[in-house]
Amino acid sequence: DALIECNPAEAATYSRLADLYIREIRVLDTWTRRHLLGLPRGFRTILVSHQGLEYLGRAYGLEIRTLVGLSPYQDPDAHQMAGIIEDLRSGKIRGLFQEAGSKSRIIDQISRESGVPIGGELYTGTLGLSDPLSSTFTGIFRLNVLRILRVLEADPADSTSP
């Protein structure tokens, strides 16, 4: 509406593009609900290095556990690390992810010690440049969901599945 107020001559174009974008988001939402909510409840827990995906958990039934909570500069203590590693080994946490553009040495250590490979990078607040999909909100949303699904749908007995 603000664009239309600034440039009324293009009102029809702005309205058409807004309608297309809303339709794209609704299709993506339906697709995401079908796939993530279709997973068994016990298969929907992931660990990420940063708090930035809580919205995804709330909207689509994922349990998002994070390393960073109280402070982005505070690492988990030994007791927390042992619990995380045990939860990964036992399958309580099904996926392990880095934040795109931010390599976490703690996530690397957890991966090594648990034997669970990192499932890839998830975008938490920044658009990417490396891939055309990562340059739009709907693109990064789709990439994140695809990466999460690839890990959550994998056979936990197959140690080569990221």
Side-chain angles (χ1 to χ4, degrees):
D1 292 337
L3 289 173
I4 292 171
E5 285 181 34
C6 292
N7 187 4
E10 295 296 327
T13 299
Y14 297 139
S15 293
R16 181 178 54 78
L17 292 173
D19 289 343
L20 287 171
Y21 191 62
I22 290 167
R23 192 171 310 125
E24 179 183 5
I25 289 172
R26 286 185 177 144
V27 167
L28 186 56
D29 176 63
T30 300
W31 175 84
T32 302
R33 284 183 191 286
R34 184 175 68 243
H35 284 84
L36 290 178
L37 292 173
L39 295 169
R41 170 79 53 204
F43 281 50
R44 296 190 217 156
T45 303
I46 64 172
L47 177 72
V48 295
S49 57
H50 187 271
Q51 290 179 322
L53 295 171
E54 288 85 2
Y55 74 94
L56 196 64
R58 282 190 304 275
Y60 301 105
L62 294 174
E63 182 182 344
I64 310 287
R65 293 186 46 190
T66 62
L67 290 179
V68 177
L70 302 174
S71 166
Y73 307 105
Q74 181 181 359
D75 290 340
D77 62 32
H79 180 72
Q80 291 167 320
M81 286 286 286
I84 289 167
I85 290 165
E86 176 55 33
D87 285 351
L88 280 159
R89 286 179 178 159
S90 71
K92 288 180 184 174
I93 299 175
R94 298 271 307 176
L96 178 62
F97 296 92
Q98 296 270 20
E99 179 183 5
S102 176
K103 191 151 174 67
S104 168
R105 66 179 171 69
I106 299 296
I107 292 285
D108 289 339
Q109 179 184 352
I110 289 169
S111 176
R112 279 192 312 277
E113 291 185 23
S114 68
V116 174
I118 297 170
E121 292 186 332
L122 299 178
Y123 291 91
T124 59
T126 302
L127 298 177
L129 301 173
S130 62
D131 172 326
L133 276 180
S134 67
S135 66
T136 66
F137 168 76
T138 54
I140 63 170
F141 187 92
R142 186 176 289 112
L143 279 174
N144 283 349
V145 172
L146 286 169
R147 288 173 180 165
I148 290 168
L149 282 170
R150 184 185 73 231
V151 170
L152 296 183
E153 292 176 337
D155 181 352
D158 180 3
S159 63
T160 62
S161 296

